[in-house]
Amino acid sequence: MRPAKLTDSVQRGQILAAAEAEFAARGYHKTSMAAIAKACEISPAHLYNFFTGKTEIALELATQIGAAVSARVRRKTARVDGPVEEKIRAFLLFDLQETYSVLDKSPGLIDFFAIILEKHPEIANAFLATNRDALVEVLYQGIADGVLKLAEPQFTAECIQAATIKYRYPQWTSALTLRELELELTGLVHILLRGIMNTGDSH
């Protein structure tokens, strides 16, 4: 039984990798189960042994991509050696750079994510929650260091995400270059930091 499960797991991973390449090249609507099966060199019938349809593949793939982005942002932020305000600034800039890069390398994923998140907003909420965990850790560090006075770090992190939502996969909402977005976000972060540094703010 063990080898069979391993084989299924490997083949499932191969299907997701092939599907990502197809979605990236063609977008969501123009990608078919037949095209994904062909890219995997399996029959469409065999593909249905692993996934019920294109939507299920897309949902798992979107979750996978989102988790990978969050993991990279968390690792980069953890390596920042500096005061908490620098870690917050770095976290938000890393998040922008990583999410921008995903769509810059694979423009076909723009409509892929737009459709998935429109029809299944729980995917976006799950990604934001995972992403937010790293920011909450930074805020708690600031509280421990005495530079932040926050009664509800989780709520503060949610507010920061809401204020900076434009910079998450920004190609959906903006035609600005990455450099222009970085400059804009840096200015916004300066304003946000002034609001949450140790000034007696209860949130």
Side-chain angles (χ1 to χ4, degrees):
M1 295 294 290
R2 183 91 175 183
K5 288 183 179 180
L6 181 61
T7 300
D8 286 351
S9 176
V10 169
Q11 191 153 28
R12 191 179 181 90
Q14 291 173 339
I15 291 169
L16 288 170
E20 181 176 0
E22 290 295 314
F23 286 130
R26 307 172 191 276
Y28 181 83
H29 287 302
K30 293 182 179 179
T31 297
S32 65
M33 289 291 278
I36 295 171
K38 183 177 180 181
C40 298
E41 298 183 343
I42 61 176
S43 69
H46 188 53
L47 180 57
Y48 280 101
N49 289 328
F50 295 91
F51 296 96
T52 59
K54 184 171 71 171
T55 297
E56 185 183 0
I57 294 176
L59 289 174
E60 185 162 337
L61 188 56
T63 300
Q64 188 180 86
I65 294 172
V69 167
S70 291
R72 290 195 296 270
V73 172
R74 181 188 288 267
R75 287 195 299 269
K76 287 184 175 182
T77 304
R79 291 197 292 265
V80 174
D81 185 19
V84 68
E85 58 266 34
E86 183 56 34
K87 284 184 175 289
I88 293 172
R89 184 180 296 107
F91 169 84
L92 293 169
L93 284 170
F94 289 150
D95 197 35
L96 162 63
Q97 291 159 0
E98 286 290 339
T99 55
Y100 187 97
S101 177
V102 168
L103 299 187
D104 188 52
K105 293 176 181 176
S106 305
L109 292 180
I110 295 177
D111 82 310
F112 164 82
F113 277 114
I115 291 166
I116 293 302
L117 299 183
E118 178 185 351
K119 294 182 177 179
H120 296 275
E122 71 276 8
I123 297 295
N125 292 335
F127 168 56
L128 288 172
T130 300
N131 185 263
R132 188 164 57 244
D133 288 343
L135 180 56
V136 171
E137 289 177 10
V138 174
L139 295 180
Y140 271 114
Q141 178 186 330
I143 293 171
D145 292 344
V147 296
L148 297 181
K149 186 175 181 180
L150 305 171
E152 301 178 55
Q154 183 74 30
F155 178 68
T156 299
E158 291 176 9
C159 290
I160 291 173
Q161 280 190 324
T164 58
I165 197 69
K166 170 184 175 180
Y167 306 98
R168 187 158 294 105
Y169 299 114
Q171 291 94 322
W172 286 343
T173 58
S174 173
L176 295 178
T177 65
L178 177 58
R179 180 56 181 159
E180 290 170 332
L181 288 163
E182 288 172 336
L183 290 172
E184 191 176 87
L185 177 58
T186 298
L188 176 58
V189 172
H190 178 70
I191 295 170
L192 291 173
L193 287 172
R194 288 180 62 187
I196 67 171
M197 296 308 287
N198 198 352
T199 59
D201 184 356
S202 62
H203 292 296

